[in-house]
Amino acid sequence: MKEEVGAVGHDPEPATVNLSPAMEGSPKRVHGRFRHKLKMHKILGFVLSPRSPKPIVESNPPQTEVALDFMENLKENRLVEACQQLLLREDQLFGQETMTVEGLGQVCNEDDKDMLQKDYETLLLHLWMAVHTTFSSTPSGEHLEILRSAVETITLLEEKDQQWEGRPEGSREAPVWRPHQCRLTHDTLLEKMVESQMRNAAVEEDNISVSSVDNLSTSMKREVCRMGKRLKETILRVARDIRDCYPPDFDVCNLYVRLYHQKFSARLTELARSGLDVDDCNYLLCWVNNYYPNDILKHKDLEGHINIESLGTLLSEKDLTTLEEQYLLQKESTVRTWFSKALSKKEEGWLSGKSPELIDGYCFCPLAIDIIQAVDGTMREARTILCSEGKAQRILCQLDSFLISYKRSLEEFVKGRRENTQAVVKANLVNIEQFRDFIVRREESIPEEIKTSCMSTLADLRDCGYGYFTGPIHEELRVQYRRLWTEAWFTGGQMVLDEVLGTLDRHMQQFTDLKPICMEELVGRLHMEMMVEYVKRMMKKKMKLKDKEQQEAAAKLLADDSSTLSTYFTEAGSKISWLSEVLPKMAEVVRLQDPGSIQLEIVTLARDFPDLSWRQISALLSLKANLSTADVRGIKESLEVNRPTVTSSNTNPPFFSKVPAGTFWQMPS
């Protein structure tokens, strides 16, 4: 230590100099009890003189940082700096002896410990105030900086806890304030903050936009909406602003989301078990299955910051199942009631003699459109609320039940033969096709059992509706059908078939007001039924073609009839093009004389139409009077060998199974 040199003169009184805080071991603040004075003894020939005033410098001196003491750092919200000062004092008090300038050792006393403990308490108070005000105002740079400082201070205090925890056995006892456990206190404080936020949101007056909350009809809906919005706003704010104030090991986004999830889940569970009415039940399910997992947890700003899988669902499986069952039962009841009323209303119109409306010149009934829209809308809502296609499919069971009632009603009405029956049936054929199209287009998403049941009922409805028109036509044609494959047919050329088609053409004029999609189906049915009737008459065994000339003539006539029928029905709108292959193949069997060639042709016919039975083949061969029993046996044996290999290549729908056959030779089993 240097003494200042003064003028020679009298011996001065011993001078005293205060040590600076830096020299006393603390960079910032030193309490009075730690201030020591050094006595400066007289040095011969020198006297201590006052300092000369510093000369005035014109230029600006360099800026130097002013050291702040503990309280000043707290006032400036410099929490890290304040914490470091306390940690230094703690090291001085508990890590080593405090040294004076004279080199004399002193052991810290209880007052020093008490003061340090109080300063720690003051620091922690500021620390928790900084965390507690996280959401008290709009985030600003200054606010976030204070929070960041608080989090860094928590980390410093946690590290010091770990140092004390890891001290060697036999070391001195830790201070009474250790461990601080700031991380645990921080998480507990956040939990209380979240609980308070959600509780306040649940009971506060509506202060969100009118369109979102005020329009909700019940207090439960408003409460859930407010809590959900508070949750969303907070965790988005954490992800956007607060997250950057925390180091990664805090995992602060997941921490906040988990806390809010727990509080939201607890409240929704209470509500779910409180006996909700239908409307509130639906709204709660919307939040649990849709809004919360999709609109909140999957928000783009949260992507990569939260672990959704670890949260689980807001409601337990048991509570969720109870609510979903309540929802589905209510929806099924509503849909069932609506379907019943819609059908009853239509039945009243039919029975009153009222004809259906004409749209674009075609008979029309909106029943199918109304029912399909109701099913679609209800299923769409169910998919949204339940977030499950499988559960929403339960609504389709009501469509299946409706179709059964609809079939019973239409069949009963058709029996009445009222004046408006024809127009009503035409209009309902449109309904039937629309229902069928609805099922076919959703074939992959509809459960197999429901699809099979619906399609079976619709097939019966089709038979009822189209049969209402085709039945009388075939009844009138029955007499003309009987002349096919008789001597009159064989000698009269195509006169018999022309008469049949003439009668059919006259009936077709009544369908000008039938919608084209239904007309196509009707013509296709008439095409199929007339072909079946033709082949049935051919196999009645009423003709015997004795020789080659007769057989070739019959084959030509058969081919001509096939061409005539195919042309007529194709022009009328039939799409069953493969029916044109039936008669030419049978004509070839009639024309051929060589048993081997006949045998090959029979195998080919069986390949293309695997539902062709031996009984029918026998009936066809019986037309050829010059074919021996041995020839027939050889054909049968060849078919036995080749049928298993030819059946698999077939692409044609069943035909011969619709044709009844007489009692002829049987294929052996």
Side-chain angles (χ1 to χ4, degrees), residues 202-220:
V203 300
E204 68 186 2
E205 293 297 324
D206 294 26
N207 56 4
I208 308 174
S209 62
V210 172
S211 61
S212 61
V213 173
D214 289 354
N215 288 340
L216 297 175
S217 58
T218 68
S219 59
M220 191 229 72

PDB file of all heavy atoms in Angstrom, residues 202-220:
ATOM      1  N   ALA A 202     -63.835 -19.793 -16.627  1.00  0.00           N
ATOM      2  CA  ALA A 202     -65.096 -20.523 -16.501  1.00  0.00           C
ATOM      3  C   ALA A 202     -66.214 -19.657 -15.941  1.00  0.00           C
ATOM      4  O   ALA A 202     -67.385 -19.851 -16.269  1.00  0.00           O
ATOM      5  CB  ALA A 202     -64.904 -21.753 -15.622  1.00  0.00           C
ATOM      6  N   VAL A 203     -65.870 -18.678 -15.094  1.00  0.00           N
ATOM      7  CA  VAL A 203     -66.912 -17.914 -14.404  1.00  0.00           C
ATOM      8  C   VAL A 203     -67.012 -16.465 -14.865  1.00  0.00           C
ATOM      9  O   VAL A 203     -67.973 -15.783 -14.527  1.00  0.00           O
ATOM     10  CB  VAL A 203     -66.661 -17.910 -12.878  1.00  0.00           C
ATOM     11  CG1 VAL A 203     -66.680 -19.333 -12.344  1.00  0.00           C
ATOM     12  CG2 VAL A 203     -65.328 -17.241 -12.535  1.00  0.00           C
ATOM     13  N   GLU A 204     -66.050 -15.999 -15.650  1.00  0.00           N
ATOM     14  CA  GLU A 204     -66.074 -14.586 -16.021  1.00  0.00           C
ATOM     15  C   GLU A 204     -67.201 -14.283 -16.990  1.00  0.00           C
ATOM     16  O   GLU A 204     -67.732 -15.167 -17.668  1.00  0.00           O
ATOM     17  CB  GLU A 204     -64.732 -14.179 -16.637  1.00  0.00           C
ATOM     18  CG  GLU A 204     -64.487 -14.820 -17.993  1.00  0.00           C
ATOM     19  CD  GLU A 204     -63.096 -14.528 -18.520  1.00  0.00           C
ATOM     20  OE1 GLU A 204     -62.318 -13.860 -17.803  1.00  0.00           O
ATOM     21  OE2 GLU A 204     -62.800 -14.964 -19.636  1.00  0.00           O
ATOM     22  N   GLU A 205     -67.569 -13.019 -17.063  1.00  0.00           N
ATOM     23  CA  GLU A 205     -68.618 -12.594 -17.990  1.00  0.00           C
ATOM     24  C   GLU A 205     -68.104 -12.742 -19.417  1.00  0.00           C
ATOM     25  O   GLU A 205     -66.906 -12.681 -19.681  1.00  0.00           O
ATOM     26  CB  GLU A 205     -68.999 -11.131 -17.731  1.00  0.00           C
ATOM     27  CG  GLU A 205     -69.677 -10.912 -16.408  1.00  0.00           C
ATOM     28  CD  GLU A 205     -71.007 -11.645 -16.314  1.00  0.00           C
ATOM     29  OE1 GLU A 205     -71.694 -11.713 -17.345  1.00  0.00           O
ATOM     30  OE2 GLU A 205     -71.339 -12.143 -15.234  1.00  0.00           O
ATOM     31  N   ASP A 206     -69.029 -12.942 -20.332  1.00  0.00           N
ATOM     32  CA  ASP A 206     -68.628 -13.078 -21.732  1.00  0.00           C
ATOM     33  C   ASP A 206     -67.991 -11.779 -22.192  1.00  0.00           C
ATOM     34  O   ASP A 206     -68.633 -10.730 -22.202  1.00  0.00           O
ATOM     35  CB  ASP A 206     -69.850 -13.374 -22.614  1.00  0.00           C
ATOM     36  CG  ASP A 206     -70.437 -14.722 -22.275  1.00  0.00           C
ATOM     37  OD1 ASP A 206     -70.277 -15.178 -21.142  1.00  0.00           O
ATOM     38  OD2 ASP A 206     -71.051 -15.288 -23.151  1.00  0.00           O
ATOM     39  N   ASN A 207     -66.742 -11.876 -22.583  1.00  0.00           N
ATOM     40  CA  ASN A 207     -66.076 -10.689 -23.114  1.00  0.00           C
ATOM     41  C   ASN A 207     -65.380 -11.006 -24.427  1.00  0.00           C
ATOM     42  O   ASN A 207     -64.522 -10.271 -24.879  1.00  0.00           O
ATOM     43  CB  ASN A 207     -65.059 -10.131 -22.110  1.00  0.00           C
ATOM     44  CG  ASN A 207     -64.039 -11.182 -21.707  1.00  0.00           C
ATOM     45  OD1 ASN A 207     -64.060 -12.288 -22.229  1.00  0.00           O
ATOM     46  ND2 ASN A 207     -63.164 -10.819 -20.796  1.00  0.00           N
ATOM     47  N   ILE A 208     -65.772 -12.144 -25.003  1.00  0.00           N
ATOM     48  CA  ILE A 208     -65.239 -12.502 -26.306  1.00  0.00           C
ATOM     49  C   ILE A 208     -66.246 -12.023 -27.354  1.00  0.00           C
ATOM     50  O   ILE A 208     -67.339 -11.599 -27.031  1.00  0.00           O
ATOM     51  CB  ILE A 208     -65.016 -14.024 -26.380  1.00  0.00           C
ATOM     52  CG1 ILE A 208     -64.191 -14.471 -25.169  1.00  0.00           C
ATOM     53  CG2 ILE A 208     -64.296 -14.430 -27.642  1.00  0.00           C
ATOM     54  CD1 ILE A 208     -64.020 -15.968 -25.064  1.00  0.00           C
ATOM     55  N   SER A 209     -65.875 -12.088 -28.602  1.00  0.00           N
ATOM     56  CA  SER A 209     -66.721 -11.536 -29.657  1.00  0.00           C
ATOM     57  C   SER A 209     -68.120 -12.136 -29.615  1.00  0.00           C
ATOM     58  O   SER A 209     -68.309 -13.303 -29.291  1.00  0.00           O
ATOM     59  CB  SER A 209     -66.097 -11.820 -31.021  1.00  0.00           C
ATOM     60  OG  SER A 209     -66.005 -13.209 -31.239  1.00  0.00           O
ATOM     61  N   VAL A 210     -69.102 -11.340 -30.005  1.00  0.00           N
ATOM     62  CA  VAL A 210     -70.509 -11.744 -29.941  1.00  0.00           C
ATOM     63  C   VAL A 210     -70.753 -13.003 -30.759  1.00  0.00           C
ATOM     64  O   VAL A 210     -71.488 -13.887 -30.361  1.00  0.00           O
ATOM     65  CB  VAL A 210     -71.403 -10.592 -30.449  1.00  0.00           C
ATOM     66  CG1 VAL A 210     -72.844 -11.056 -30.581  1.00  0.00           C
ATOM     67  CG2 VAL A 210     -71.302  -9.407 -29.512  1.00  0.00           C
ATOM     68  N   SER A 211     -70.089 -13.103 -31.904  1.00  0.00           N
ATOM     69  CA  SER A 211     -70.352 -14.221 -32.798  1.00  0.00           C
ATOM     70  C   SER A 211     -69.899 -15.558 -32.227  1.00  0.00           C
ATOM     71  O   SER A 211     -70.385 -16.596 -32.639  1.00  0.00           O
ATOM     72  CB  SER A 211     -69.641 -13.991 -34.139  1.00  0.00           C
ATOM     73  OG  SER A 211     -68.250 -13.904 -33.937  1.00  0.00           O
ATOM     74  N   SER A 212     -68.956 -15.557 -31.295  1.00  0.00           N
ATOM     75  CA  SER A 212     -68.398 -16.818 -30.837  1.00  0.00           C
ATOM     76  C   SER A 212     -68.983 -17.332 -29.532  1.00  0.00           C
ATOM     77  O   SER A 212     -69.165 -18.522 -29.360  1.00  0.00           O
ATOM     78  CB  SER A 212     -66.880 -16.693 -30.688  1.00  0.00           C
ATOM     79  OG  SER A 212     -66.576 -15.699 -29.734  1.00  0.00           O
ATOM     80  N   VAL A 213     -69.260 -16.457 -28.581  1.00  0.00           N
ATOM     81  CA  VAL A 213     -69.715 -16.933 -27.267  1.00  0.00           C
ATOM     82  C   VAL A 213     -71.138 -16.510 -26.966  1.00  0.00           C
ATOM     83  O   VAL A 213     -71.954 -17.314 -26.531  1.00  0.00           O
ATOM     84  CB  VAL A 213     -68.764 -16.425 -26.161  1.00  0.00           C
ATOM     85  CG1 VAL A 213     -69.325 -16.774 -24.799  1.00  0.00           C
ATOM     86  CG2 VAL A 213     -67.381 -17.034 -26.327  1.00  0.00           C
ATOM     87  N   ASP A 214     -71.456 -15.251 -27.193  1.00  0.00           N
ATOM     88  CA  ASP A 214     -72.783 -14.758 -26.813  1.00  0.00           C
ATOM     89  C   ASP A 214     -73.897 -15.494 -27.537  1.00  0.00           C
ATOM     90  O   ASP A 214     -75.019 -15.558 -27.054  1.00  0.00           O
ATOM     91  CB  ASP A 214     -72.887 -13.256 -27.109  1.00  0.00           C
ATOM     92  CG  ASP A 214     -72.034 -12.445 -26.132  1.00  0.00           C
ATOM     93  OD1 ASP A 214     -71.485 -13.058 -25.203  1.00  0.00           O
ATOM     94  OD2 ASP A 214     -71.918 -11.230 -26.315  1.00  0.00           O
ATOM     95  N   ASN A 215     -73.600 -16.052 -28.721  1.00  0.00           N
ATOM     96  CA  ASN A 215     -74.627 -16.758 -29.475  1.00  0.00           C
ATOM     97  C   ASN A 215     -74.857 -18.173 -28.973  1.00  0.00           C
ATOM     98  O   ASN A 215     -75.765 -18.851 -29.440  1.00  0.00           O
ATOM     99  CB  ASN A 215     -74.246 -16.808 -30.961  1.00  0.00           C
ATOM    100  CG  ASN A 215     -74.399 -15.450 -31.621  1.00  0.00           C
ATOM    101  OD1 ASN A 215     -75.101 -14.588 -31.114  1.00  0.00           O
ATOM    102  ND2 ASN A 215     -73.735 -15.256 -32.741  1.00  0.00           N
ATOM    103  N   LEU A 216     -74.023 -18.648 -28.067  1.00  0.00           N
ATOM    104  CA  LEU A 216     -74.204 -19.987 -27.527  1.00  0.00           C
ATOM    105  C   LEU A 216     -75.389 -19.997 -26.572  1.00  0.00           C
ATOM    106  O   LEU A 216     -75.541 -19.107 -25.748  1.00  0.00           O
ATOM    107  CB  LEU A 216     -72.928 -20.447 -26.820  1.00  0.00           C
ATOM    108  CG  LEU A 216     -71.700 -20.582 -27.736  1.00  0.00           C
ATOM    109  CD1 LEU A 216     -70.468 -20.926 -26.926  1.00  0.00           C
ATOM    110  CD2 LEU A 216     -71.937 -21.620 -28.818  1.00  0.00           C
ATOM    111  N   SER A 217     -76.186 -21.052 -26.661  1.00  0.00           N
ATOM    112  CA  SER A 217     -77.506 -21.030 -26.031  1.00  0.00           C
ATOM    113  C   SER A 217     -77.520 -21.381 -24.553  1.00  0.00           C
ATOM    114  O   SER A 217     -78.479 -21.055 -23.863  1.00  0.00           O
ATOM    115  CB  SER A 217     -78.438 -21.993 -26.784  1.00  0.00           C
ATOM    116  OG  SER A 217     -77.893 -23.307 -26.785  1.00  0.00           O
ATOM    117  N   THR A 218     -76.496 -22.055 -24.041  1.00  0.00           N
ATOM    118  CA  THR A 218     -76.535 -22.482 -22.641  1.00  0.00           C
ATOM    119  C   THR A 218     -75.280 -22.025 -21.909  1.00  0.00           C
ATOM    120  O   THR A 218     -74.236 -21.768 -22.514  1.00  0.00           O
ATOM    121  CB  THR A 218     -76.644 -24.014 -22.533  1.00  0.00           C
ATOM    122  OG1 THR A 218     -75.429 -24.608 -23.008  1.00  0.00           O
ATOM    123  CG2 THR A 218     -77.817 -24.536 -23.333  1.00  0.00           C
ATOM    124  N   SER A 219     -75.399 -21.965 -20.594  1.00  0.00           N
ATOM    125  CA  SER A 219     -74.260 -21.543 -19.772  1.00  0.00           C
ATOM    126  C   SER A 219     -73.122 -22.554 -19.869  1.00  0.00           C
ATOM    127  O   SER A 219     -71.948 -22.184 -19.808  1.00  0.00           O
ATOM    128  CB  SER A 219     -74.699 -21.388 -18.312  1.00  0.00           C
ATOM    129  OG  SER A 219     -75.210 -22.622 -17.814  1.00  0.00           O
ATOM    130  N   MET A 220     -73.450 -23.852 -20.020  1.00  0.00           N
ATOM    131  CA  MET A 220     -72.395 -24.856 -20.134  1.00  0.00           C
ATOM    132  C   MET A 220     -71.574 -24.641 -21.402  1.00  0.00           C
ATOM    133  O   MET A 220     -70.348 -24.725 -21.391  1.00  0.00           O
ATOM    134  CB  MET A 220     -73.001 -26.255 -20.149  1.00  0.00           C
ATOM    135  CG  MET A 220     -71.960 -27.355 -19.995  1.00  0.00           C
ATOM    136  SD  MET A 220     -72.072 -28.713 -21.207  1.00  0.00           S
ATOM    137  CE  MET A 220     -71.490 -27.931 -22.692  1.00  0.00           C
TER     138      MET A 220
END
